[in-house]
PDB file of all heavy atoms in Angstrom:
ATOM      1  N   PHE A   1     146.584  64.324  98.976  1.00  0.00           N
ATOM      2  CA  PHE A   1     147.319  65.456  98.442  1.00  0.00           C
ATOM      3  C   PHE A   1     147.205  66.690  99.328  1.00  0.00           C
ATOM      4  O   PHE A   1     147.684  67.766  98.952  1.00  0.00           O
ATOM      5  CB  PHE A   1     146.808  65.799  97.038  1.00  0.00           C
ATOM      6  CG  PHE A   1     146.909  64.664  96.069  1.00  0.00           C
ATOM      7  CD1 PHE A   1     145.789  64.164  95.443  1.00  0.00           C
ATOM      8  CD2 PHE A   1     148.132  64.070  95.784  1.00  0.00           C
ATOM      9  CE1 PHE A   1     145.867  63.104  94.547  1.00  0.00           C
ATOM     10  CE2 PHE A   1     148.229  63.014  94.900  1.00  0.00           C
ATOM     11  CZ  PHE A   1     147.096  62.533  94.276  1.00  0.00           C
ATOM     12  N   ASN A   2     146.561  66.537 100.482  1.00  0.00           N
ATOM     13  CA  ASN A   2     146.294  67.698 101.330  1.00  0.00           C
ATOM     14  C   ASN A   2     146.733  67.480 102.767  1.00  0.00           C
ATOM     15  O   ASN A   2     146.757  66.352 103.260  1.00  0.00           O
ATOM     16  CB  ASN A   2     144.787  67.988 101.330  1.00  0.00           C
ATOM     17  CG  ASN A   2     144.310  68.539 100.017  1.00  0.00           C
ATOM     18  OD1 ASN A   2     144.530  69.700  99.701  1.00  0.00           O
ATOM     19  ND2 ASN A   2     143.653  67.705  99.228  1.00  0.00           N
ATOM     20  N   ASN A   3     147.063  68.600 103.419  1.00  0.00           N
ATOM     21  CA  ASN A   3     147.140  68.580 104.874  1.00  0.00           C
ATOM     22  C   ASN A   3     145.716  68.363 105.368  1.00  0.00           C
ATOM     23  O   ASN A   3     144.782  68.984 104.870  1.00  0.00           O
ATOM     24  CB  ASN A   3     147.664  69.917 105.395  1.00  0.00           C
ATOM     25  CG  ASN A   3     149.007  70.270 104.800  1.00  0.00           C
ATOM     26  OD1 ASN A   3     149.874  69.416 104.648  1.00  0.00           O
ATOM     27  ND2 ASN A   3     149.180  71.521 104.444  1.00  0.00           N
ATOM     28  N   MET A   4     145.541  67.501 106.340  1.00  0.00           N
ATOM     29  CA  MET A   4     144.204  67.193 106.830  1.00  0.00           C
ATOM     30  C   MET A   4     144.092  67.482 108.313  1.00  0.00           C
ATOM     31  O   MET A   4     145.089  67.468 109.047  1.00  0.00           O
ATOM     32  CB  MET A   4     143.860  65.724 106.570  1.00  0.00           C
ATOM     33  CG  MET A   4     143.731  65.380 105.092  1.00  0.00           C
ATOM     34  SD  MET A   4     142.387  66.259 104.257  1.00  0.00           S
ATOM     35  CE  MET A   4     140.948  65.580 105.106  1.00  0.00           C
ATOM     36  N   ALA A   5     142.880  67.736 108.752  1.00  0.00           N
ATOM     37  CA  ALA A   5     142.657  68.056 110.156  1.00  0.00           C
ATOM     38  C   ALA A   5     141.296  67.551 110.612  1.00  0.00           C
ATOM     39  O   ALA A   5     140.395  67.342 109.800  1.00  0.00           O
ATOM     40  CB  ALA A   5     142.741  69.568 110.380  1.00  0.00           C
ATOM     41  N   TRP A   6     141.187  67.372 111.892  1.00  0.00           N
ATOM     42  CA  TRP A   6     139.902  67.139 112.551  1.00  0.00           C
ATOM     43  C   TRP A   6     139.502  68.437 113.239  1.00  0.00           C
ATOM     44  O   TRP A   6     140.331  69.084 113.903  1.00  0.00           O
ATOM     45  CB  TRP A   6     139.977  66.010 113.555  1.00  0.00           C
ATOM     46  CG  TRP A   6     139.896  64.661 112.922  1.00  0.00           C
ATOM     47  CD1 TRP A   6     140.933  63.859 112.533  1.00  0.00           C
ATOM     48  CD2 TRP A   6     138.704  63.953 112.591  1.00  0.00           C
ATOM     49  NE1 TRP A   6     140.460  62.696 111.989  1.00  0.00           N
ATOM     50  CE2 TRP A   6     139.092  62.725 112.020  1.00  0.00           C
ATOM     51  CE3 TRP A   6     137.344  64.224 112.733  1.00  0.00           C
ATOM     52  CZ2 TRP A   6     138.168  61.768 111.579  1.00  0.00           C
ATOM     53  CZ3 TRP A   6     136.430  63.283 112.303  1.00  0.00           C
ATOM     54  CH2 TRP A   6     136.841  62.073 111.729  1.00  0.00           C
ATOM     55  N   TYR A   7     138.232  68.765 113.076  1.00  0.00           N
ATOM     56  CA  TYR A   7     137.670  69.956 113.669  1.00  0.00           C
ATOM     57  C   TYR A   7     136.531  69.539 114.603  1.00  0.00           C
ATOM     58  O   TYR A   7     135.952  68.471 114.457  1.00  0.00           O
ATOM     59  CB  TYR A   7     137.070  70.864 112.586  1.00  0.00           C
ATOM     60  CG  TYR A   7     138.031  71.324 111.528  1.00  0.00           C
ATOM     61  CD1 TYR A   7     138.482  70.471 110.517  1.00  0.00           C
ATOM     62  CD2 TYR A   7     138.486  72.646 111.502  1.00  0.00           C
ATOM     63  CE1 TYR A   7     139.350  70.906 109.531  1.00  0.00           C
ATOM     64  CE2 TYR A   7     139.345  73.095 110.521  1.00  0.00           C
ATOM     65  CZ  TYR A   7     139.773  72.218 109.539  1.00  0.00           C
ATOM     66  OH  TYR A   7     140.624  72.660 108.551  1.00  0.00           O
ATOM     67  N   ARG A   8     136.186  70.439 115.532  1.00  0.00           N
ATOM     68  CA  ARG A   8     134.999  70.192 116.329  1.00  0.00           C
ATOM     69  C   ARG A   8     134.254  71.499 116.551  1.00  0.00           C
ATOM     70  O   ARG A   8     134.842  72.584 116.557  1.00  0.00           O
ATOM     71  CB  ARG A   8     135.339  69.529 117.666  1.00  0.00           C
ATOM     72  CG  ARG A   8     136.076  70.372 118.684  1.00  0.00           C
ATOM     73  CD  ARG A   8     136.410  69.513 119.903  1.00  0.00           C
ATOM     74  NE  ARG A   8     137.106  70.266 120.935  1.00  0.00           N
ATOM     75  CZ  ARG A   8     137.658  69.724 122.017  1.00  0.00           C
ATOM     76  NH1 ARG A   8     137.588  68.397 122.207  1.00  0.00           N
ATOM     77  NH2 ARG A   8     138.273  70.472 122.903  1.00  0.00           N
ATOM     78  N   GLN A   9     132.943  71.343 116.716  1.00  0.00           N
ATOM     79  CA  GLN A   9     132.085  72.505 116.866  1.00  0.00           C
ATOM     80  C   GLN A   9     130.972  72.203 117.846  1.00  0.00           C
ATOM     81  O   GLN A   9     130.366  71.131 117.801  1.00  0.00           O
ATOM     82  CB  GLN A   9     131.494  72.904 115.513  1.00  0.00           C
ATOM     83  CG  GLN A   9     130.697  74.190 115.523  1.00  0.00           C
ATOM     84  CD  GLN A   9     130.256  74.599 114.131  1.00  0.00           C
ATOM     85  OE1 GLN A   9     130.053  73.781 113.252  1.00  0.00           O
ATOM     86  NE2 GLN A   9     130.127  75.907 113.916  1.00  0.00           N
ATOM     87  N   THR A  10     130.718  73.163 118.730  1.00  0.00           N
ATOM     88  CA  THR A  10     129.588  73.090 119.639  1.00  0.00           C
ATOM     89  C   THR A  10     128.599  74.183 119.244  1.00  0.00           C
ATOM     90  O   THR A  10     128.969  75.164 118.600  1.00  0.00           O
ATOM     91  CB  THR A  10     130.032  73.251 121.092  1.00  0.00           C
ATOM     92  OG1 THR A  10     130.778  74.469 121.223  1.00  0.00           O
ATOM     93  CG2 THR A  10     130.902  72.086 121.530  1.00  0.00           C
ATOM     94  N   PRO A  11     127.337  74.031 119.624  1.00  0.00           N
ATOM     95  CA  PRO A  11     126.313  75.002 119.221  1.00  0.00           C
ATOM     96  C   PRO A  11     126.693  76.433 119.581  1.00  0.00           C
ATOM     97  O   PRO A  11     127.098  76.715 120.720  1.00  0.00           O
ATOM     98  CB  PRO A  11     125.078  74.547 119.982  1.00  0.00           C
ATOM     99  CG  PRO A  11     125.261  73.083 120.146  1.00  0.00           C
ATOM    100  CD  PRO A  11     126.738  72.905 120.371  1.00  0.00           C
ATOM    101  N   GLY A  12     126.571  77.320 118.612  1.00  0.00           N
ATOM    102  CA  GLY A  12     126.824  78.740 118.838  1.00  0.00           C
ATOM    103  C   GLY A  12     128.277  79.140 118.813  1.00  0.00           C
ATOM    104  O   GLY A  12     128.607  80.311 119.012  1.00  0.00           O
ATOM    105  N   LYS A  13     129.158  78.179 118.563  1.00  0.00           N
ATOM    106  CA  LYS A  13     130.593  78.478 118.549  1.00  0.00           C
ATOM    107  C   LYS A  13     131.188  78.145 117.190  1.00  0.00           C
ATOM    108  O   LYS A  13     130.614  77.392 116.411  1.00  0.00           O
ATOM    109  CB  LYS A  13     131.305  77.714 119.654  1.00  0.00           C
ATOM    110  CG  LYS A  13     130.872  78.136 121.056  1.00  0.00           C
ATOM    111  CD  LYS A  13     131.767  77.544 122.121  1.00  0.00           C
ATOM    112  CE  LYS A  13     131.378  78.042 123.491  1.00  0.00           C
ATOM    113  NZ  LYS A  13     132.261  77.483 124.552  1.00  0.00           N
ATOM    114  N   GLN A  14     132.355  78.690 116.933  1.00  0.00           N
ATOM    115  CA  GLN A  14     133.015  78.430 115.662  1.00  0.00           C
ATOM    116  C   GLN A  14     133.626  77.042 115.669  1.00  0.00           C
ATOM    117  O   GLN A  14     133.842  76.439 116.709  1.00  0.00           O
ATOM    118  CB  GLN A  14     134.101  79.472 115.408  1.00  0.00           C
ATOM    119  CG  GLN A  14     135.295  79.391 116.329  1.00  0.00           C
ATOM    120  CD  GLN A  14     136.365  80.425 115.992  1.00  0.00           C
ATOM    121  OE1 GLN A  14     136.094  81.421 115.343  1.00  0.00           O
ATOM    122  NE2 GLN A  14     137.578  80.171 116.420  1.00  0.00           N
ATOM    123  N   ARG A  15     133.884  76.568 114.482  1.00  0.00           N
ATOM    124  CA  ARG A  15     134.529  75.270 114.317  1.00  0.00           C
ATOM    125  C   ARG A  15     136.029  75.437 114.515  1.00  0.00           C
ATOM    126  O   ARG A  15     136.654  76.299 113.879  1.00  0.00           O
ATOM    127  CB  ARG A  15     134.207  74.733 112.926  1.00  0.00           C
ATOM    128  CG  ARG A  15     134.657  73.335 112.665  1.00  0.00           C
ATOM    129  CD  ARG A  15     134.336  72.950 111.235  1.00  0.00           C
ATOM    130  NE  ARG A  15     132.971  72.495 111.037  1.00  0.00           N
ATOM    131  CZ  ARG A  15     132.103  73.087 110.221  1.00  0.00           C
ATOM    132  NH1 ARG A  15     132.453  74.154 109.531  1.00  0.00           N
ATOM    133  NH2 ARG A  15     130.876  72.608 110.075  1.00  0.00           N
ATOM    134  N   ASP A  16     136.612  74.660 115.392  1.00  0.00           N
ATOM    135  CA  ASP A  16     138.037  74.771 115.719  1.00  0.00           C
ATOM    136  C   ASP A  16     138.797  73.508 115.327  1.00  0.00           C
ATOM    137  O   ASP A  16     138.254  72.401 115.414  1.00  0.00           O
ATOM    138  CB  ASP A  16     138.222  75.002 117.222  1.00  0.00           C
ATOM    139  CG  ASP A  16     137.707  76.352 117.675  1.00  0.00           C
ATOM    140  OD1 ASP A  16     137.837  77.320 116.908  1.00  0.00           O
ATOM    141  OD2 ASP A  16     137.180  76.424 118.797  1.00  0.00           O
ATOM    142  N   VAL A  17     140.050  73.696 114.973  1.00  0.00           N
ATOM    143  CA  VAL A  17     140.930  72.564 114.700  1.00  0.00           C
ATOM    144  C   VAL A  17     141.358  71.930 116.014  1.00  0.00           C
ATOM    145  O   VAL A  17     141.804  72.625 116.927  1.00  0.00           O
ATOM    146  CB  VAL A  17     142.185  73.010 113.916  1.00  0.00           C
ATOM    147  CG1 VAL A  17     143.150  71.842 113.761  1.00  0.00           C
ATOM    148  CG2 VAL A  17     141.798  73.566 112.557  1.00  0.00           C
ATOM    149  N   VAL A  18     141.229  70.620 116.125  1.00  0.00           N
ATOM    150  CA  VAL A  18     141.732  69.930 117.315  1.00  0.00           C
ATOM    151  C   VAL A  18     142.980  69.108 116.996  1.00  0.00           C
ATOM    152  O   VAL A  18     143.783  68.856 117.882  1.00  0.00           O
ATOM    153  CB  VAL A  18     140.670  69.029 117.967  1.00  0.00           C
ATOM    154  CG1 VAL A  18     139.532  69.857 118.519  1.00  0.00           C
ATOM    155  CG2 VAL A  18     140.140  67.979 116.999  1.00  0.00           C
ATOM    156  N   ALA A  19     143.117  68.679 115.738  1.00  0.00           N
ATOM    157  CA  ALA A  19     144.283  67.887 115.361  1.00  0.00           C
ATOM    158  C   ALA A  19     144.572  68.099 113.885  1.00  0.00           C
ATOM    159  O   ALA A  19     143.653  68.146 113.076  1.00  0.00           O
ATOM    160  CB  ALA A  19     144.049  66.405 115.641  1.00  0.00           C
ATOM    161  N   ASP A  20     145.841  68.209 113.581  1.00  0.00           N
ATOM    162  CA  ASP A  20     146.264  68.504 112.210  1.00  0.00           C
ATOM    163  C   ASP A  20     147.383  67.553 111.809  1.00  0.00           C
ATOM    164  O   ASP A  20     148.260  67.238 112.619  1.00  0.00           O
ATOM    165  CB  ASP A  20     146.764  69.953 112.138  1.00  0.00           C
ATOM    166  CG  ASP A  20     147.406  70.278 110.807  1.00  0.00           C
ATOM    167  OD1 ASP A  20     148.624  70.083 110.661  1.00  0.00           O
ATOM    168  OD2 ASP A  20     146.675  70.730 109.908  1.00  0.00           O
ATOM    169  N   MET A  21     147.332  67.113 110.561  1.00  0.00           N
ATOM    170  CA  MET A  21     148.413  66.268 110.039  1.00  0.00           C
ATOM    171  C   MET A  21     148.884  66.855 108.718  1.00  0.00           C
ATOM    172  O   MET A  21     148.100  67.027 107.783  1.00  0.00           O
ATOM    173  CB  MET A  21     147.929  64.833 109.843  1.00  0.00           C
ATOM    174  CG  MET A  21     148.944  63.937 109.144  1.00  0.00           C
ATOM    175  SD  MET A  21     148.399  62.232 109.017  1.00  0.00           S
ATOM    176  CE  MET A  21     148.742  61.660 110.658  1.00  0.00           C
ATOM    177  N   ARG A  22     150.183  67.157 108.647  1.00  0.00           N
ATOM    178  CA  ARG A  22     150.756  67.707 107.422  1.00  0.00           C
ATOM    179  C   ARG A  22     150.844  66.623 106.353  1.00  0.00           C
ATOM    180  O   ARG A  22     150.885  65.426 106.659  1.00  0.00           O
ATOM    181  CB  ARG A  22     152.135  68.280 107.697  1.00  0.00           C
ATOM    182  CG  ARG A  22     152.179  69.428 108.690  1.00  0.00           C
ATOM    183  CD  ARG A  22     151.623  70.694 108.081  1.00  0.00           C
ATOM    184  NE  ARG A  22     150.209  70.894 108.314  1.00  0.00           N
ATOM    185  CZ  ARG A  22     149.530  71.912 107.809  1.00  0.00           C
ATOM    186  NH1 ARG A  22     150.134  72.797 107.026  1.00  0.00           N
ATOM    187  NH2 ARG A  22     148.242  72.036 108.077  1.00  0.00           N
ATOM    188  N   LEU A  23     150.899  67.063 105.108  1.00  0.00           N
ATOM    189  CA  LEU A  23     151.072  66.150 103.989  1.00  0.00           C
ATOM    190  C   LEU A  23     152.298  65.289 104.235  1.00  0.00           C
ATOM    191  O   LEU A  23     153.341  65.794 104.616  1.00  0.00           O
ATOM    192  CB  LEU A  23     151.251  66.967 102.709  1.00  0.00           C
ATOM    193  CG  LEU A  23     151.174  66.220 101.386  1.00  0.00           C
ATOM    194  CD1 LEU A  23     149.804  65.603 101.197  1.00  0.00           C
ATOM    195  CD2 LEU A  23     151.481  67.175 100.230  1.00  0.00           C
ATOM    196  N   GLY A  24     152.155  63.996 104.041  1.00  0.00           N
ATOM    197  CA  GLY A  24     153.252  63.080 104.316  1.00  0.00           C
ATOM    198  C   GLY A  24     153.093  62.382 105.650  1.00  0.00           C
ATOM    199  O   GLY A  24     153.630  61.301 105.857  1.00  0.00           O
ATOM    200  N   GLY A  25     152.362  63.000 106.554  1.00  0.00           N
ATOM    201  CA  GLY A  25     152.024  62.361 107.816  1.00  0.00           C
ATOM    202  C   GLY A  25     153.063  62.432 108.904  1.00  0.00           C
ATOM    203  O   GLY A  25     152.842  61.949 110.010  1.00  0.00           O
ATOM    204  N   ALA A  26     154.204  63.059 108.622  1.00  0.00           N
ATOM    205  CA  ALA A  26     155.274  63.061 109.615  1.00  0.00           C
ATOM    206  C   ALA A  26     155.062  64.083 110.713  1.00  0.00           C
ATOM    207  O   ALA A  26     155.601  63.927 111.819  1.00  0.00           O
ATOM    208  CB  ALA A  26     156.617  63.311 108.934  1.00  0.00           C
ATOM    209  N   THR A  27     154.298  65.118 110.454  1.00  0.00           N
ATOM    210  CA  THR A  27     154.122  66.206 111.412  1.00  0.00           C
ATOM    211  C   THR A  27     152.659  66.315 111.809  1.00  0.00           C
ATOM    212  O   THR A  27     151.785  66.450 110.956  1.00  0.00           O
ATOM    213  CB  THR A  27     154.593  67.537 110.813  1.00  0.00           C
ATOM    214  OG1 THR A  27     155.955  67.412 110.405  1.00  0.00           O
ATOM    215  CG2 THR A  27     154.458  68.660 111.824  1.00  0.00           C
ATOM    216  N   THR A  28     152.428  66.243 113.112  1.00  0.00           N
ATOM    217  CA  THR A  28     151.073  66.411 113.646  1.00  0.00           C
ATOM    218  C   THR A  28     151.094  67.479 114.721  1.00  0.00           C
ATOM    219  O   THR A  28     152.093  67.639 115.440  1.00  0.00           O
ATOM    220  CB  THR A  28     150.536  65.105 114.238  1.00  0.00           C
ATOM    221  OG1 THR A  28     151.425  64.640 115.256  1.00  0.00           O
ATOM    222  CG2 THR A  28     150.399  64.031 113.161  1.00  0.00           C
ATOM    223  N   THR A  29     150.011  68.213 114.845  1.00  0.00           N
ATOM    224  CA  THR A  29     149.859  69.198 115.903  1.00  0.00           C
ATOM    225  C   THR A  29     148.475  69.061 116.507  1.00  0.00           C
ATOM    226  O   THR A  29     147.533  68.598 115.830  1.00  0.00           O
ATOM    227  CB  THR A  29     150.055  70.631 115.394  1.00  0.00           C
ATOM    228  OG1 THR A  29     149.140  70.871 114.315  1.00  0.00           O
ATOM    229  CG2 THR A  29     151.474  70.866 114.910  1.00  0.00           C
ATOM    230  N   TYR A  30     148.369  69.453 117.765  1.00  0.00           N
ATOM    231  CA  TYR A  30     147.121  69.296 118.501  1.00  0.00           C
ATOM    232  C   TYR A  30     146.790  70.554 119.282  1.00  0.00           C
ATOM    233  O   TYR A  30     147.679  71.271 119.748  1.00  0.00           O
ATOM    234  CB  TYR A  30     147.240  68.110 119.467  1.00  0.00           C
ATOM    235  CG  TYR A  30     147.511  66.804 118.772  1.00  0.00           C
ATOM    236  CD1 TYR A  30     148.816  66.376 118.537  1.00  0.00           C
ATOM    237  CD2 TYR A  30     146.457  66.021 118.305  1.00  0.00           C
ATOM    238  CE1 TYR A  30     149.061  65.184 117.870  1.00  0.00           C
ATOM    239  CE2 TYR A  30     146.689  64.833 117.639  1.00  0.00           C
ATOM    240  CZ  TYR A  30     147.996  64.426 117.422  1.00  0.00           C
ATOM    241  OH  TYR A  30     148.232  63.244 116.754  1.00  0.00           O
ATOM    242  N   ALA A  31     145.516  70.788 119.440  1.00  0.00           N
ATOM    243  CA  ALA A  31     145.073  71.848 120.343  1.00  0.00           C
ATOM    244  C   ALA A  31     145.527  71.492 121.752  1.00  0.00           C
ATOM    245  O   ALA A  31     145.582  70.315 122.129  1.00  0.00           O
ATOM    246  CB  ALA A  31     143.561  71.983 120.298  1.00  0.00           C
TER     247      ALA A  31
END
């Protein structure tokens, strides 16, 4: 029921989105 994403984080840095998939799966975006 949600847009989902993969995030990554290295020590001392913020967590960033690297890949996103909109609800339904038809639309994806990448860093």
Side-chain angles (χ1 to χ4, degrees):
F1 302 121
N2 289 284
N3 303 319
M4 294 297 295
W6 280 94
Y7 301 75
R8 69 184 181 189
Q9 186 174 29
T10 55
K13 295 190 176 181
Q14 69 178 20
R15 187 183 277 120
D16 292 324
V17 174
V18 294
D20 172 271
M21 173 176 281
R22 298 287 92 183
L23 192 63
T27 303
T28 57
T29 56
Y30 299 90

